[in-house]
Amino acid sequence: MIQQNEDLKLLKQAREGDHTAFARIVEKYEPVVANTVIGMLGNTAEADDVGQEVFIRFYRALNDFRGDSGLGTYLTRIAINLSLNELKRKKRAVSLFTQGQQDAGYDDLSDQGREQEIKDTNEIVHSALNMLEPKFRSVVVLRLIQGYSTKETAEILDVPLGTVLSRLARAQKQLKKILETANL
Amino acid sequence: MDNNNTYDWLYASFDRELTSGQKAELEKALAEDPDLRKEKQDLQEVRSLLKTTSFRFQKGFAGRVMKRIKEEGGGVVEMDVSSQMINLFRKIAMAGVAAIVILLLSIYLTSGTLNKNSVLGVDSFSDDNLVSYLLYEDIGE
């Protein structure tokens, strides 16, 4: 409740043109957006750009935020949609240059060079997540990393609850295999 | 008991409430099947690994966002068209009401009354000479 009041106060100030208040919102919700965007795209320059774009879009449409959901959930929704768009864009770009090549499956994890890239937990999780299809990755990021309930995850992704539950089950099975291959 | 079912229930048990029957069967299977217990343990480890994962952008992220906002002429907060129209009409309506109140007040202060003649600014108005007023003709000459 206190956090919501603080958010409303910052939003009011930001709407009146107070940049410091908006910068405070960015600082406060950066971890939420980072977990979503980096979880979806990996720790890349594109992820940083998409993260910035999330806040810029929010800034441009500050008056559209009615407060029906929490600010974190609202920003997560923007972040997941922009990340999925970025993944589609990248997929299109890659398919133009690598026609005929198959996407690397999770079985490639044991390939030379790959294991060496895995140095700490975050990198392992990155590598594992990157091997999931975006639709599975998104439920893992929202439910298992961000900690949203299955109902909230369904609302953010705009899919039925049953879809979230089945995707979660399949994603976890795949993740388990991926992480076993990585000898975790 | 269907082995596939117990595995499905195991996965589902982390994210939804199982029925009492499913719960009982799963518990029974867990007590009897070491592979299922191992699966549960692995699953808990995966979930706990993900739960402790936290990503952050490179340092100075907020600064980069604010810089882009300023570069893009960030002083202006965009509103949707309907919100803009509502705000515009609200302002026009309030300005109109304020103007009417001031006008009536000034008439009252100068004439001491708010009857039809004082509001219209004539000494003796009758409907018959309305046309003459509209045609700027002198009344009473």
Side-chain angles (χ1 to χ4, degrees):
Chain A
M1 193 56 143
I2 293 169
Q3 183 176 317
Q4 216 169 7
N5 285 342
E6 192 196 333
D7 286 350
L8 290 175
K9 196 177 160 192
L10 287 171
L11 275 168
K12 186 173 178 288
Q13 291 168 336
R15 281 174 179 143
E16 287 164 358
D18 183 346
H19 279 199
T20 314
F22 191 77
R24 176 80 194 91
I25 292 173
V26 177
E27 282 163 8
K28 189 173 172 185
Y29 285 98
E30 180 202 332
V32 172
V33 172
N35 274 336
T36 306
V37 175
I38 298 177
M40 289 299 291
L41 302 175
N43 204 351
T44 58
E46 289 91 30
D48 201 275
D49 283 344
V50 170
Q52 290 177 38
E53 190 61 29
V54 170
F55 286 104
I56 287 165
R57 293 227 178 163
F58 176 55
Y59 182 82
R60 285 184 194 145
L62 264 178
N63 290 297
D64 290 346
F65 177 70
R66 308 264 181 246
D68 301 333
S69 59
L71 189 46
T73 307
Y74 188 79
L75 289 167
T76 300
R77 195 172 290 134
I78 301 176
I80 204 87
N81 286 334
L82 289 182
S83 301
L84 288 168
N85 287 347
E86 176 65 17
L87 285 170
K88 276 183 204 158
R89 194 193 61 78
K90 270 168 84 172
K91 195 179 171 188
R92 274 200 302 272
V94 168
S95 67
L96 281 174
F97 294 103
T98 59
Q99 276 181 349
Q101 277 188 359
Q102 282 186 329
D103 285 346
Y106 54 77
D107 288 342
D108 293 344
L109 191 77
S110 56
D111 284 0
Q112 65 280 13
R114 190 114 212 191
E115 281 170 336
Q116 287 181 353
E117 289 174 21
I118 300 172
K119 288 173 188 155
D120 59 23
T121 309
N122 277 3
E123 283 187 34
I124 292 165
V125 173
H126 269 148
S127 305
L129 285 173
N130 276 337
M131 289 169 200
L132 294 178
E133 274 182 58
K135 64 181 179 186
F136 295 123
R137 203 183 306 168
S138 57
V139 291
V140 170
V141 167
L142 295 176
R143 170 75 180 131
L144 303 180
I145 296 180
Q146 295 273 53
Y148 285 110
S149 69
T150 46
K151 187 170 173 278
E152 286 169 326
T153 303
E155 281 168 6
I156 290 170
L157 293 171
D158 200 19
V159 295
L161 182 62
T163 306
V164 168
L165 291 169
S166 65
R167 283 182 188 174
L168 262 175
R170 284 187 64 186
Q172 285 176 105
K173 279 177 195 165
Q174 287 185 21
L175 275 174
K176 199 171 83 66
K177 275 189 191 170
I178 293 165
L179 295 169
E180 274 170 3
T181 316
N183 289 325
L184 252 181
Chain B
M1 181 172 24
D2 186 342
N3 198 35
N4 278 338
N5 270 350
T6 52
Y7 273 79
D8 287 344
W9 293 336
L10 172 67
Y11 276 85
S13 66
F14 288 91
D15 297 300
R16 73 169 168 89
E17 192 73 23
L18 298 180
T19 64
S20 53
Q22 291 169 341
K23 213 183 280 183
E25 277 200 51
L26 177 61
E27 274 167 22
K28 187 168 173 274
L30 279 168
E32 291 169 355
D33 184 349
D35 288 343
L36 190 64
R37 283 201 296 277
K38 171 81 170 56
E39 186 81 6
K40 184 181 179 184
Q41 194 188 337
D42 289 348
L43 198 51
Q44 280 169 331
E45 281 170 15
V46 169
R47 291 179 74 103
S48 132
L49 176 72
L50 291 165
K51 203 175 176 181
T52 53
T53 301
S54 170
F55 302 123
R56 293 302 295 265
F57 292 116
Q58 299 285 322
K59 271 187 179 174
F61 177 79
R64 291 195 292 281
V65 172
M66 296 315 292
K67 190 172 169 236
R68 271 186 65 183
I69 285 174
K70 280 173 191 164
E71 280 170 0
E72 292 176 14
V76 181
V77 176
E78 282 184 10
M79 299 168 79
D80 59 57
V81 177
S82 61
S83 302
Q84 282 179 340
M85 295 299 279
I86 288 167
N87 278 350
L88 181 67
F89 284 124
R90 191 176 291 149
K91 282 176 187 167
I92 291 171
M94 284 171 69
V97 170
I100 292 167
V101 169
I102 291 169
L103 182 67
L104 292 174
L105 193 64
S106 67
I107 291 170
Y108 182 76
L109 289 174
T110 51
S111 312
T113 175
L114 281 177
N115 63 23
K116 192 161 67 177
N117 286 345
S118 61
V119 169
L120 290 174
V122 294
D123 292 333
S124 56
F125 175 79
S126 72
D127 294 341
D128 294 341
N129 50 24
L130 175 64
V131 176
S132 304
Y133 277 116
L134 291 174
L135 294 173
Y136 298 102
E137 288 177 2
D138 277 344
I139 305 295
E141 281 191 359

